[in-house]
Amino acid sequence: MKLKLAYTRFNVTKPVLSQAILKTGVAINILEAKIGASYGEMVVDANADGRDLAKLISFLEAEGLTIVQLGEALEIDLRKCISCGACVSPCPTGAIMQLPSWEIEFDDTKCIRCGTCVGACPVRAIRLTT
Amino acid sequence: MSTRGEETLRTYEEVNRKIVSGDAVVMTADEFVELVRAGGIEAAAKEVDVVTTGTFGAMCSSGAFLNIGHTEPPIRLNECFLNDVPCYTGLAAVDIFVGATAMSRTRGIEYGGGHVIEDLVAGREVELKAEGRGTDCYPRRYLETTISLEEINQAVLLNPRNAYERYNGATNSSDRLLHTYMGTLLPKLGNITYSGSGQLSPLYKDRGFETLGIGTRIFLAGAAGYIVGEGTQHHPQKQLGTLMVRGDLKEMDPLYLKGASIQDYGPSLYVGLGVPLPIINLRVAKTAATPDEEIKTEIKDYGIASSARPSLRTVTYAELKSGRVNLNGRDVPASPMSSHKHAKEIAEELKGRIKKGRFLLSRPAELLPIERPLKLLRTKNSHTVGDIMIANFATAGPRCDISRAATLIVQSGIDHLPIVDEGGRLIGIVTSWDIAKAVATGKQHLRSIMTTSVVSFSKEDSVDEAANRLLTNHISGAPVVDRENKVVGLITIEDLTKLYGRRGAR
């Protein structure tokens, strides 16, 4: 399950994630991290579901982090898509590309489910399924 | 002296005769660029009768006039909503205008006038709710029904501004994620978005507007439409020409009209438009042959919220279309907001219709103007420097000694002391920091410590401009001078802050 973690200035300097791994035993893979002096945001892949996942989330929330569970899959409805490209350059990991025909191509392995493209699409052809 | 629009290579009648007999040589602008690259302009201009162009982008200044027909008993529409989107009713009883960016009362920017237009063209029924004031001749006060494109009398797409000749690219230097009409802009120059179809752009391909004017028949969202005249904000001097166009909504194809929601901005309408360019003279051929590599535009910084956004660099459409643009030494991803795929399809579709004899060209009754001013609106409540400047202030002459200057600054309570000549004209400025430096280094007179290249304002300057210039020069105040450079006041950051405080309190 992919999670977006938002840190505040009260917890951004603490080793919250390593403590979470030690306490819950869940293996966590950091996909993206932006940490500043007063705030931070991370996208992680937590190798857990059900109770383990709930345990991890409640631990992180107790530490003051805001958790958003990211969708499982990104779907681009190509019947709705007008091949404009509005989702392409905003994608932070380059998971959406344009072919020489200007049609959209999506690389699921690069996608971190951040949802930037969902809002960027002017014809609402992209959604995150949960 | 050559005349704009002269038909030296071929006339409209000649072109149309060839179209009817199936002999017209028609190419898309993409193909024409390659033909000229390979064989030169003279031969290409001789061979090709018509070059087709296309664009498919979000065109906010679009909308449709509808006549919904009278009811029994009749109503004079005062308020009218189509699928909850407010329409303009300040016309005759049952004439309305639905604008592309009007927002739904219930769904906000997720559904707007652009979506209403798309739904109508797609043959879907649209819910109509309206209120009338009830008059002797129009007694009905309330109306609730559904309408479809088929049922209503007239439905005319009339877009005041479409098909910008080219458009600037957009990026964002701020450290916030921005949602603009140019789409999602990542912080710190994270990406570039752009619009316009480059070498397929209808207006750029006839830059002299020699075939474009009132009555030029065009491809508008699948139907034959017409150029009505110059579009709003038509500004050809900067290659920012625009078109006002009209076409019958009933003949249009939903493939080329798509309602859009631009995040945190509003609804809009993607419009597909193509213009056929008869190669009437060599100049038209030359501009029609302009490749993406020669079509330039500016990348503007939308991180700065002003109508005078700074340009970060000039790029070509070839660079933009490559998907990567070098910005401050970094390779930044670039992607279009308008659809190149559909722009190409439109140019192809129009070419096909002309070749099959289904689309004839028309000579414009009047060509588009090649010069138009683009003015900013003067606003009523905007303050000028004269409104907030300090009129009671001290000045000193260049021979004034340091301790006297220190006394003047303390007495006036203003940290800026303008230095003037005998006539009161500005020659320099001194701040308390300069005085401190003078004491530390043992200087005696103001002349040796004053700043002589002084940022100054006139009373007529806007406070917004003053604030920007104080900030960009990293200074906290500046003198205000008249036409003769005589000091008439002082403006400081403090005064500007107070003004904003007052605005906030209102």
Side-chain angles (χ1 to χ4, degrees):
Chain A
M1 166 61 84
K2 283 173 173 148
L3 303 173
K4 186 152 90 178
L5 319 178
Y7 290 73
T8 67
R9 66 192 169 96
F10 301 109
N11 50 40
V12 73
T13 52
K14 289 199 214 162
V16 177
L17 212 54
S18 22
Q19 276 170 0
I21 297 168
L22 291 172
K23 282 257 164 69
T24 64
V26 174
I28 293 172
N29 189 18
I30 301 175
L31 300 175
E32 199 188 39
K34 268 184 239 151
I35 304 293
S38 60
Y39 115 112
E41 205 174 88
M42 257 190 217
V43 177
V44 301
D45 194 357
N47 190 13
D49 48 22
R51 256 169 101 170
D52 291 340
L53 183 67
K55 216 164 98 185
L56 173 70
I57 290 174
S58 63
F59 177 85
L60 294 172
E61 282 177 342
E63 290 292 327
L65 270 57
T66 312
I67 315 295
V68 180
Q69 296 191 37
L70 300 179
E72 275 302 296
L74 189 82
E75 278 182 10
I76 302 182
D77 184 345
L78 291 174
R79 286 163 308 171
K80 274 193 186 173
C81 174
I82 55 169
S83 307
C84 64
C87 59
V88 175
S89 70
C91 173
T93 60
I96 311 177
M97 294 147 289
Q98 265 178 314
L99 300 169
S101 66
W102 298 103
E103 277 162 337
I104 300 297
E105 194 176 58
F106 172 58
D107 182 350
D108 190 57
T109 60
K110 286 189 188 167
C111 176
I112 56 166
R113 322 287 192 245
C114 67
T116 307
C117 56
V118 175
C121 175
V123 293
R124 300 287 177 262
I126 311 179
R127 62 190 198 111
L128 275 170
T129 58
T130 43
Chain B
M1 179 75 187
S2 56
T3 340
R4 203 154 67 96
E6 64 187 351
E7 295 158 35
T8 48
L9 285 175
R10 47 184 69 76
T11 66
Y12 286 83
E13 289 75 15
E14 284 162 1
V15 173
N16 281 339
R17 270 198 295 276
K18 287 177 87 173
I19 292 174
V20 170
S21 65
D23 299 322
V25 179
V26 191
M27 281 190 179
T28 68
D30 278 343
E31 293 165 339
F32 192 65
V33 165
E34 294 311 315
L35 180 77
V36 171
R37 234 197 276 270
I41 188 74
E42 306 266 345
K46 218 172 261 173
E47 182 192 339
V48 178
D49 298 305
V50 185
V51 170
T52 62
T53 60
T55 187
F56 187 84
M59 303 192 194
C60 288
S61 203
S62 298
F65 279 105
L66 311 177
N67 177 282
I68 60 166
H70 282 291
T71 55
E72 188 57 59
I75 184 169
R76 188 207 161 285
L77 302 177
N78 191 42
E79 279 196 324
C80 181
F81 300 88
L82 291 178
N83 282 352
D84 245 349
V85 175
C87 301
Y88 182 73
T89 58
L91 301 160
V94 290
D95 279 343
I96 55 175
F97 184 78
V98 52
T101 66
M103 281 191 287
S104 156
R105 284 185 299 181
T106 41
R107 295 168 64 190
I109 68 168
E110 288 302 310
Y111 189 92
H115 299 90
V116 172
I117 294 170
E118 179 189 343
D119 279 342
L120 282 171
V121 174
R124 291 187 274 267
E125 290 208 322
V126 167
E127 199 174 85
L128 182 146
K129 279 186 194 159
E131 275 173 38
R133 292 178 57 226
T135 68
D136 289 343
C137 43
Y138 293 110
R140 192 180 191 122
R141 285 171 183 268
Y142 191 70
L143 174 63
E144 198 172 329
T145 184
T146 57
I147 61 165
S148 70
L149 197 56
E150 214 175 39
E151 292 164 337
I152 60 178
N153 292 319
Q154 276 80 22
V156 178
L157 193 72
L158 186 87
N159 302 344
R161 179 164 82 245
N162 279 183
Y164 255 115
E165 197 169 349
R166 56 177 188 141
Y167 207 77
N168 60 258
T171 192
N172 166 24
S173 69
S174 80
D175 46 21
R176 294 177 304 128
L177 175 74
L178 297 183
H179 299 295
T180 70
Y181 66 85
M182 289 299 285
T184 304
L185 298 173
L186 302 176
K188 294 179 184 158
L189 310 180
N191 70 323
I192 293 166
T193 59
Y194 65 98
S195 214
S197 56
Q199 67 180 23
L200 273 175
S201 161
L203 266 68
Y204 207 95
K205 296 268 103 170
D206 177 13
R207 231 156 39 247
F209 309 144
E210 302 212 34
T211 71
L212 304 174
I214 299 171
T216 300
R217 188 177 293 124
I218 62 169
F219 174 101
L220 184 60
Y226 290 90
I227 294 176
V228 175
E230 63 181 284
T232 54
Q233 293 181 26
H234 180 64
H235 192 41
Q237 300 97 303
K238 291 244 166 108
Q239 272 116 50
L240 294 170
T242 67
L243 297 179
M244 188 179 292
V245 299
R246 68 91 76 190
D248 191 342
L249 214 56
K250 295 189 179 203
E251 291 167 15
M252 291 183 187
D253 186 335
L255 207 60
Y256 305 109
L257 283 174
K258 292 284 178 202
S261 308
I262 315 288
Q263 191 176 18
D264 287 349
Y265 175 75
S268 188
L269 180 67
Y270 271 75
V271 178
L273 187 156
V275 176
L277 304 173
I279 304 301
I280 55 171
N281 62 46
L282 202 58
R283 292 185 302 274
V284 175
K286 276 180 185 158
T287 61
T290 315
D292 278 333
E293 301 90 82
E294 286 171 27
I295 304 179
K296 289 179 186 151
T297 190
E298 305 290 319
I299 295 185
K300 293 206 169 168
D301 183 1
Y302 281 62
I304 291 166
S306 152
S307 45
R309 293 181 190 100
S311 166
L312 298 186
R313 62 159 289 197
T314 305
V315 276
T316 66
Y317 271 85
E319 285 174 279
L320 289 168
K321 286 184 182 178
S322 78
R324 298 243 149 223
V325 171
N326 192 289
L327 209 58
N328 293 352
R330 268 178 52 230
D331 232 14
V332 178
S335 64
M337 281 293 289
S338 50
S339 173
H340 294 321
K341 178 173 178 263
H342 288 322
K344 276 170 176 287
E345 282 168 4
I346 288 164
E348 282 291 346
E349 173 67 24
L350 180 56
K351 176 179 113 177
R353 289 188 193 184
I354 297 170
K355 284 182 105 168
K356 285 181 199 137
R358 286 168 45 211
F359 194 105
L360 293 176
L361 308 195
S362 65
R363 179 187 285 114
E366 191 180 299
L367 296 178
L368 295 180
I370 50 169
E371 221 180 286
R372 270 286 184 268
L374 183 64
K375 294 179 245 177
L376 278 181
L377 179 64
R378 183 177 45 79
T379 48
K380 221 172 176 181
N381 298 328
S382 52
H383 292 270
T384 62
V385 167
D387 298 335
I388 63 159
M389 71 180 189
I390 305 162
N392 285 319
F393 57 94
T395 60
R399 272 188 285 268
C400 174
D401 68 43
I402 299 293
S403 62
R404 170 82 188 128
T407 311
L408 285 172
I409 286 181
V410 171
Q411 279 174 351
S412 69
I414 307 164
D415 191 17
H416 292 82
L417 183 64
I419 313 302
V420 295
D421 64 12
E422 293 82 5
R425 283 180 291 266
L426 182 69
I427 55 171
I429 196 157
V430 161
T431 66
S432 56
W433 170 245
D434 298 319
I435 304 281
K437 267 200 302 191
V439 171
T441 54
K443 298 264 168 58
Q444 295 298 314
H445 294 286
L446 290 184
R447 188 198 290 281
S448 53
I449 58 156
M450 69 184 186
T451 304
T452 51
S453 61
V454 189
V455 174
S456 65
F457 296 99
S458 76
K459 280 165 87 168
E460 294 74 34
D461 286 335
S462 75
V463 289
D464 303 271
E465 193 198 331
N468 275 336
R469 283 181 53 209
L470 291 177
L471 284 172
T472 49
N473 287 289
H474 305 288
I475 52 176
S476 58
V480 183
V481 295
D482 66 10
R483 279 167 196 279
E484 278 131 34
N485 208 29
K486 281 185 190 162
V487 181
V488 294
L490 270 175
I491 182 164
T492 69
I493 288 274
E494 207 183 329
D495 304 315
L496 291 165
T497 314
K498 277 185 205 153
L499 177 71
Y500 275 93
R502 283 211 299 278
R503 278 184 186 170
R506 231 183 273 147

